[in-house]
Amino acid sequence: MMRRPFEGITVVSLEQAVAAPYCSSRLAQAGARVIKVERPEGDFARGYDRAVHGHASYFLWLNTGKESIALDLKQADDLALMKRMIAKADVFIQNLAPGAVERLGIGSEALRAQHPRLITLDISGYGREGERANLKAYDFLVQGESGLLAVSGPPQAYGRIGVSLCDIGAGMYALSAVQQALFLRERTGQGASLHVSLFSGAFDWMAVPLLHQIYSDRAPARVGLKHPSIAPYGGFECADGEILLISVQNNREFARLCEQVLGDASLAQDPRFKENADRVKHRDALDALIGQRFATRSRHEMEDALQRADIAFGGINSVEAVAKHAQARYWKMPLGEAQIDMMAPPFDADWQSGSFDPAPSIDQHGEAIRREFAQSL
């Protein structure tokens, strides 16, 4: 196997929950040494669930390949050890409550002054400035604050997005920022101070609804499976009760849908449906025509027809079905004496091993790390 991109890079991560562990786990998978600093009782994500042979699914997913040391940073000796670890690190990551690391004397400003090559990364709920900067924030709260819930789901009621989207997004943006900072350091010899928030990531994703609101004074409404500005786009029930999703992006595709799937080529020239804007305006009538056709065929039959017409489609799969999906990829991951299937990374690369290293137990590497970073006599 090729050398991995971040071999030789040491990351000290004072982390908990999802966002920071997501970032550091991807650095570990790329070869970095990641020292995970936990409270004496451990990262509280260890207790989120007991879904995988008594272990938390969140923790196993986000902590593969790391070393764990448990420190009580209110104790002078443990804080001194933490500072010695940071002094030898390339990257320091933290996502504690606002102000916590500053009170300990290991805030990014102080660390960067002491260690010019160090890259510091602070992950917060709302960023460094503004009236909410000092508030604690969790994924669900930011889903609401950022407007994501206002544009998602059916019009009747709000519903939480079913995965920790804002946490994951912050972790992904943080990873990108660290990678850029490491590349810049190779060219300049200087580290960097990085700041990522859950809100800023979600705010970036909200660009289209926000631009609609700011410049047309009309934000897209919640429309369930439909799209506020594209038609036909949505879910249609087939004869066997299965719902099939379709997405038509241009007039050429719509003409093929009409002729080859709906069996009526003249619909493409109907003034109500000729252009996308017309189709959106007359969406209810168009959806009714499409729905009538889908209701006469099974999902399998409709998939065949859509594929022949080169129309994009997809099903609404249960989690059970996705676990067995033809495109699902898993790597093996050790868990005690057993091995579990963990979702493979979403990209292929020559340096990948095809399996995961295990996630650590609490303070599994504490003794060895304490010896390594012991105070010099």
Side-chain angles (χ1 to χ4, degrees):
M1 187 178 68
M2 294 175 60
R3 288 190 61 188
R4 293 183 289 176
F6 295 132
E7 288 181 15
I9 296 296
T10 297
V11 178
V12 174
S13 193
L14 181 57
E15 62 181 29
Q16 58 193 2
V18 175
Y22 186 101
C23 175
S24 62
S25 70
R26 274 44 186 175
L27 292 168
Q29 289 170 18
R33 179 192 185 187
V34 175
I35 301 174
K36 180 183 179 73
V37 179
E38 305 186 63
R39 296 178 174 86
E41 64 272 21
D43 181 345
F44 54 74
R46 291 180 180 272
Y48 276 173
D49 60 65
R50 291 286 181 264
V52 187
H53 301 313
H55 296 264
S57 57
Y58 279 88
F59 191 85
L60 295 176
W61 170 46
L62 296 175
N63 291 281
T64 172
K66 301 179 186 179
E67 301 173 32
S68 169
I69 182 170
L71 297 178
D72 181 354
L73 296 181
K74 295 179 181 178
Q75 302 299 316
D77 288 348
D78 279 4
L79 181 57
L81 172 60
M82 181 74 179
K83 291 179 178 179
R84 293 195 297 273
M85 291 162 54
I86 294 171
K88 295 185 178 181
D90 297 283
V91 181
F92 173 59
I93 300 172
Q94 70 85 21
N95 70 331
L96 301 191
V101 290
E102 285 76 14
R103 291 190 292 272
L104 292 168
I106 53 173
S108 57
E109 184 175 349
L111 291 176
R112 289 280 296 115
Q114 298 169 45
H115 311 294
R117 283 181 55 82
L118 181 67
I119 295 165
T120 61
L121 169 64
D122 299 308
I123 301 178
S124 64
Y126 294 106
R128 293 180 289 171
E129 300 175 346
E131 63 181 33
R132 293 184 176 271
N134 293 322
L135 292 182
K136 293 171 65 176
Y138 299 110
D139 178 88
F140 173 51
L141 308 180
V142 177
Q143 286 188 23
E145 286 283 338
S146 67
L148 284 172
L149 297 185
V151 297
S152 303
Q156 293 81 11
Y158 293 111
R160 172 186 169 271
I161 297 168
V163 295
S164 298
L165 194 67
C166 298
D167 274 328
I168 296 167
M172 294 174 72
Y173 283 117
L175 174 63
S176 175
V178 170
Q179 291 170 333
Q180 292 178 47
L182 285 168
F183 183 76
L184 184 62
R185 193 181 72 172
E186 286 297 302
R187 302 166 72 184
T188 67
Q190 294 294 308
S193 180
L194 310 173
H195 302 267
V196 175
S197 75
L198 275 66
F199 184 87
S200 62
F203 189 74
D204 183 37
W205 297 337
M206 284 289 293
V208 171
L210 286 166
L211 291 171
H212 276 258
Q213 177 64 52
I214 295 167
Y215 292 104
S216 69
D217 199 30
R218 185 178 180 182
R222 298 196 311 279
V223 290
L225 294 177
K226 299 177 176 63
H227 192 289
S229 54
I230 302 174
Y233 188 116
F236 300 92
E237 187 171 350
C238 301
D240 54 8
E242 294 279 337
I243 294 177
L244 202 56
L245 309 175
I246 64 170
S247 174
V248 173
Q249 297 289 311
N250 55 59
N251 292 339
R252 295 187 307 276
E253 290 184 355
F254 182 65
R256 292 201 304 272
L257 176 76
C258 294
E259 180 180 1
Q260 300 180 40
V261 179
L262 304 182
D264 186 353
S266 68
L267 286 174
Q269 300 304 316
D270 188 314
R272 297 174 298 169
F273 310 137
K274 197 167 185 180
E275 300 292 338
N276 179 66
D278 303 318
R279 296 193 288 272
V280 171
K281 184 177 180 179
H282 300 283
R283 184 198 304 274
D284 290 345
L286 177 58
D287 284 355
L289 291 169
I290 297 172
Q292 290 170 10
R293 179 62 171 173
F294 274 58
T296 66
R297 299 288 188 274
S298 69
R299 171 177 169 176
H300 179 71
E301 290 172 321
M302 289 308 307
E303 286 180 338
D304 283 346
L306 290 163
Q307 188 166 3
R308 287 194 301 270
D310 196 23
I311 302 297
F313 66 88
I316 299 182
N317 290 324
S318 66
V319 177
E320 180 182 12
V322 175
K324 302 172 183 177
H325 199 285
Q327 304 307 121
R329 295 171 55 247
Y330 298 93
W331 284 6
K332 294 296 182 183
M333 178 177 170
L335 182 60
E337 299 299 317
Q339 284 192 326
I340 63 170
D341 289 328
M342 183 62 69
M343 294 70 239
F347 66 93
D348 293 319
D350 293 339
W351 61 79
Q352 292 176 336
S353 66
S355 63
F356 290 110
D357 294 324
S361 57
I362 300 175
D363 202 41
Q364 179 178 338
H365 307 89
E367 184 177 347
I369 293 171
R370 288 176 185 275
R371 287 196 304 269
E372 178 182 354
F373 294 94
Q375 179 69 55
S376 301
L377 298 177

